[in-house]
């Protein structure tokens, strides 16, 4: 997909990876809507603030009507509560699944007809190496990202005949607020991840592995699924 003159909607664009994606898309010549719960927090030059709360279907539908020229949706908004599946607060587990799975699903359902009507385009879901690796301490987050990976694969097949490519970006720890407590040498720069994400969209990659952690985990998953030789 050519990003110059594309019209992108980036959820959670006011900080972290979303902000870097918005900045770099503007730099590549795209028109960019920064889709956030509070539009007054969207302060990236050249980005159009757009009110959107992924937990509010009415809000998402209104955003799709407002950004009626969209050709690219980046489902970036997400949360990590740190809840475990056995002992974590069920309200937090549900909120994580609502945000990280139902949020992208709701946005994709709303924007797919818009993108199709504008001649086709792409959807990118921001996932995680924890889509494939599920430590108990992050059970709720891992489950939500695993569900979002399944969502990505299923919608890829469903939307391809409508001219919409669906991709996933996987990454371990990024230098963002969500990983503030992680040592610096274990994190990759969010700007570098954004650049890889946009390159993946341009080249049509179905899965974008943005760091060594995601590549290592995916390699291990592939080995586990490979039939035994001989």
């Amino acid at each position: 997909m050519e990003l110059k003159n594309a019209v992108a909607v980036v959820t959670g664009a006011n900080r972290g990876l979303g902000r870097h994606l918005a900045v770099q898309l503007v730099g590549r010549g795209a028109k960019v809507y920064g889709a956030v719960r509070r539009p007054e927090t969207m302060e990236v030059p050249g980005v159009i603030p757009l009110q959107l709360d992924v937990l509010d279907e009415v809000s998402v539908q209104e955003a799709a009507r407002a950004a009626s020229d969209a050709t690219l949706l980046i489902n970036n908004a997400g949360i990590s509560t740190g809840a475990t599946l056995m002992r974590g607060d069920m309200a937090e587990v549900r909120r994580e699944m609502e945000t990280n799975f139902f949020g992208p699903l709701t946005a994709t359902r709303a924007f797919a007809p818009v993108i199709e009507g504008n001649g086709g385009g792409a959807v990118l879901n921001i996932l995680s190496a924890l889509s494939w690796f599920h430590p108990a301490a992050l059970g709720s987050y891992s489950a939500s990202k695993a569900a979002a990976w399944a969502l990505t694969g299923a919608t890829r097949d469903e939307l391809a005949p409508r001219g919409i490519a669906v991709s996933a970006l996987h990454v371990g720890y990024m230098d963002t607020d969500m990983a503030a407590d992680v040592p610096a040498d274990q994190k990759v720069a969010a700007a570098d991840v954004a650049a890889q994400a946009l390159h993946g969209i341009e080249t049509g990659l179905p899965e974008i592995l943005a760091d060594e952690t995601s590549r290592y985990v995916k390699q291990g998953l592939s080995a586990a699924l490979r039939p035994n030789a001989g």
Side-chain angles (χ1 to χ4, degrees):
M1 177 183 181
E2 175 63 52
L3 293 178
K4 184 178 181 180
N5 299 321
V7 181
V9 175
V10 183
T11 67
N14 55 338
R15 59 193 180 94
L17 178 61
R19 185 182 182 90
H20 285 285
L21 287 164
V23 168
Q24 293 185 27
L25 280 163
V26 170
R28 290 170 181 252
K31 177 180 177 180
V32 182
Y33 292 97
V36 294
R37 286 179 296 174
R38 295 168 52 211
E40 67 273 15
T41 66
M42 192 66 255
E43 299 176 342
V44 177
V47 174
I48 303 165
L50 179 68
Q51 202 284 322
L52 185 152
D53 182 346
V54 297
L55 300 182
D56 181 349
E57 187 170 355
V58 172
S59 164
V60 175
Q61 292 290 345
E62 290 177 351
R65 285 191 288 270
S68 60
D69 51 350
T71 59
L72 169 63
L73 170 66
I74 299 183
N75 285 311
N76 167 72
I79 61 169
S80 176
T81 68
T84 64
L85 291 176
M86 291 294 97
R87 300 180 65 87
D89 186 333
M90 278 298 292
E92 292 292 82
V93 175
R94 291 182 187 279
R95 186 166 70 95
E96 210 153 40
M97 188 64 75
E98 288 286 346
T99 304
N100 297 345
F101 172 75
F102 286 105
L105 175 59
T106 300
T108 301
R109 287 170 65 107
F111 278 95
V114 175
I115 296 172
E116 181 182 16
N118 290 322
V123 174
L124 174 67
N125 295 327
I126 306 302
L127 303 184
S128 170
L130 296 181
S131 304
W132 307 312
F133 173 61
H134 311 133
L138 292 169
S140 175
Y141 181 80
S142 299
S144 70
K145 289 299 184 178
W149 184 45
L151 159 71
T152 302
T155 55
R156 179 183 298 128
D157 290 347
E158 192 169 357
L159 293 178
R162 299 167 61 179
I164 302 173
V166 180
S167 301
L169 179 136
H170 299 269
V171 63
Y173 291 120
M174 281 186 293
D175 191 9
T176 64
D177 292 345
M178 190 179 289
D181 296 331
V182 177
D185 62 354
Q186 297 180 23
K187 296 185 284 192
V188 293
D192 292 343
V193 175
Q196 292 184 68
L198 298 185
H199 176 72
I201 294 170
E202 286 184 315
T203 56
L205 292 177
E207 287 192 329
I208 303 155
L209 309 181
D211 65 348
E212 286 301 321
T213 298
S214 57
R215 287 188 282 271
Y216 176 79
V217 175
K218 180 60 184 294
Q219 184 179 28
L221 177 67
S222 298
L225 295 176
R226 192 178 303 127
N228 293 328

